[in-house]
Structure formats: C-alpha cells, structure tokens
C-alpha cells in the first residue's frame, strides 16, 4: 500500500467515525428533548425516521415547527411504558372531554402535562404551562413509533 492509499483510507475512516459520532449526538439530543418535555427517558436505540424543521417566513423571532418521528426497538417498549404508567396523574384526564379539575390539579403541581392511554398506545397532553413551546407527542405501541411535533412561537 502506497502513501496515497494510506492517506485516503485514514481520511475515509475518520470521515466515517465522525459521522457515527454525529448520529449518536443527534439521537441524544432527540432523547433529551423528549425527556425534557414529557419526563420520559428513552434510550438512543432508535431509528430516526423524520427530523425536519420548518421556519415561519416573516416571523418576528425565528418561529419554527419541528417534526420528529422515531422508531424504538421492541426491547425498549417495556421501560417506556413502565415510566408512562407510573407517571404522576397518569390517565387522569380523558382526552377532549377532560375534567377541568384535573387540569387545575396538574397545573397546581407545576407538571408539564399528563400521559393518556389511547387505543393505539399513549398520547401526552401538555398543560397551559407549556405555552411558549406547545407540542404534541403520540406513542404508537403497535408500530413502536413516537411522533413528536413542537412549535416554537
């Protein structure tokens, strides 16, 4: 192997190694974002299906919408479900017909929101305390998909 081939191989290896570190860093950022917003820690053993950001043109201060879809591994599901079902005030409101008293309690406790059981899995409803960055998160247990959409206003 001549010096040119060696340099090319080393550069290719470094490029590949850098890409792996960036992908893992990206997964950690998504994992942290979900935990920060919902209180549920997920490992980085997932595949990023979609991660897109749309900026609102003409907005005063960089308003954007970020849409993330990840698919977690089967072995991660029991840990995720354990955290959801064990979360404070789990299933205390019933979707669109929620009881106002439950939300008063959630906001009094300064919780960011509550997890609700759905036929497809789970949905996180954020409280009014999250007005600066409202978001929607659903977890589909049949497909192992988490859909997360956040609006920065």
């Amino acid at each position: 192997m001549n010096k040119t081939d060696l340099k090319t191989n080393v550069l290719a290896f470094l490029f590949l190694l850098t890409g792996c570190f960036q992908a893992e860093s990206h997964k950690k950022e998504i994992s942290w974002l979900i935990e920060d917003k919902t209180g549920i820690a997920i490992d980085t053993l997932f595949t990023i299906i979609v991660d897109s950001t749309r900026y609102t043109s003409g907005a005063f201060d960089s308003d954007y919408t970020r849409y993330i879809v990840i698919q977690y591994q089967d072995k991660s599901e029991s840990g995720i479900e354990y955290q959801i079902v064990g979360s404070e005030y789990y299933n205390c409101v019933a979707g669109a017909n929620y009881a106002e008293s439950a939300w008063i309690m959630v906001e009094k406790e300064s919780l960011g929101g509550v997890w609700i059981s759905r036929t497809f899995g789970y949905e996180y409803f954020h409280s009014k305390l999250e007005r600066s960055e409202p978001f929607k998160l659903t977890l589909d247990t049949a497909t192992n998909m988490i859909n997360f959409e956040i609006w920065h206003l």
Side-chain angles (χ1 to χ4, degrees), residues 26-86:
H26 190 189
K27 287 182 174 185
K28 285 181 181 178
E29 185 262 335
I30 290 172
S31 180
W32 176 86
L33 182 61
I34 291 171
E35 183 175 3
D36 180 55
K37 294 296 182 183
T38 67
I40 302 301
I42 61 169
D43 56 40
T44 56
L45 300 175
F46 58 80
T47 303
I48 300 169
I49 307 299
V50 175
D51 185 3
S52 67
T53 304
R54 280 185 318 226
Y55 292 91
T56 307
S57 62
F60 180 67
D61 64 344
S62 304
D63 293 348
Y64 64 85
T65 301
R66 184 171 180 191
Y67 184 62
I68 299 169
V69 179
I70 62 172
Q71 185 171 35
Y72 58 88
Q73 295 183 1
D74 286 333
K75 63 183 176 182
S76 300
E77 186 165 78
S78 63
I80 294 170
E81 285 192 283
Y82 179 80
Q83 291 177 81
I84 291 172
V85 173

Side-chain angles (χ1 to χ4, degrees), residues 47 49 69-72 77 120 122 138-147:
T47 303
I49 307 299
V69 179
I70 62 172
Q71 185 171 35
Y72 58 88
E77 186 165 78
F120 59 79
Y122 303 96
T138 58
L139 186 144
D140 187 323
T141 54
T143 62
N144 294 359
M145 299 282 224
I146 294 176
N147 291 287

